[in-house]
Amino acid sequence: MSHQHPHPTAAPGGPRPASGRVPLSVLDLAIVPEGATGQDAVRRAVGLARDLDRLGYHRVWYAEHHLSPGVGSASPAVLAAAVAARTERIRVGSGAVLLSTTSPLVAAEQFGTIAALHPGRVDLGLGRAFTPPTGEKGAGAPPRRARPATGPRVVDGLYVPGAPPADVNDSVLRERILAQKRIVGASRTPASFRDELELVLGLRAGSYRDERGTPYVSPPVEGADWDLWVLASSAGESARVAGELGLPLAANYHVAPSATLDTVAAYREAFRPGVLDEPYVVVSADVLVADTVERARELATPFADWVLSIRSGADGAIAYPAPGTSPAWEDRPESERALVADRVDTRIVGDPETVVRRLETLRRATGADELLVTTATHDADDARRSFALLAEHWFAGGADADAAARAAVTPDVAPALATTR
């Protein structure tokens, strides 16, 4: 195949806030709380985006989740288009379109169409196809065992948990993925991730030819004014290919905190000038800010149940529970705690000063050029308050960023472990 990439460009980050800190962005899942509907969640997501635009956040991305009772963000392109039409400055995009359910051509055409109407404000984030383990069974098949958790560590003040134990052939998880795949209609067989990305880049450059040399043109994609992103949760193919093509990378500390440093390192090691001249890394984090540490911890209590439903439930993410309805951490079975501890312990919860200090630690330890925060609460007003408090203390002058970074050098593992339990 012949693929010509656009000329290298400047990094896709926004201007630094007055505080001197890196840009701050948001990943919105359109959380569906208990007692609400998906339609409520979508309407709230659009309203929240207007707030984020006014508060100074650089971009807002929408994830792709299907058939999960607690997540209303199923169509990133539709949400991004609706939000772009109702905001003035903030960038909109996907975090990410999954190539297991959407072809790269369709994703590029969807976001190319949005970019035609809102040039310079659109991000197309792509994630690799996710497929269940093969599940070899029968006589002679080797037993598949759970992967043991590795030990935690502290790197430059950042708490890096061990990986959670995971059964690579968990029957409930496998059957859920296969059943969802049938209902979603995800029957495509993806090509290699590099080929899928190069198809998008080639169509935008107007130079794409298939393996037979046949040229193809997609009018919404050719010359489209969007930025292409890769999302990665490990140091594997996604991070490597993003680096080889010179694309920006979003690393998921909020999904796989044990692997984030390795993910970023693999990307930087593989990086070659391509779409960008230099590497550009966004790192995500689960964040919850309230006026006091005590209030933040109270609001954070349902998080363990929610993560547990994602990792072990037959139906995926449950509708987000109300505070005060979850069992205490010490009353949970050890197997449950082991499965969710990495995400509970790395969720950044507290008052504004605490959260800003810990975000600065995350930025410094990962070398992030930008941070992407996501916030899950039962009450949408608590999430709005969290984003407003964070913006007030991150973007405005306030404490000097270098002083905050120096203060964060002391590892704050103990507060991290105590915040949400």
Side-chain angles (χ1 to χ4, degrees), residues 201-222:
L201 292 171
L203 288 171
R204 184 168 67 169
S207 60
Y208 181 77
R209 294 176 179 270
D210 66 12
E211 63 277 3
R212 297 181 181 135
T214 305
Y216 290 89
V217 173
S218 172
V221 180
E222 187 168 353

Side-chain angles (χ1 to χ4, degrees), residues 4 70 108 138 148-149 175 226 263 308 312 331 367 383 418:
Q4 296 178 13
E175 288 308 312
W226 42 244
T263 301
L308 184 64
S312 66
D331 294 336

Side-chain angles (χ1 to χ4, degrees), residues 407-420:
V409 168
T410 302
D412 86 331
V413 176
L417 294 176
T419 349
T420 54

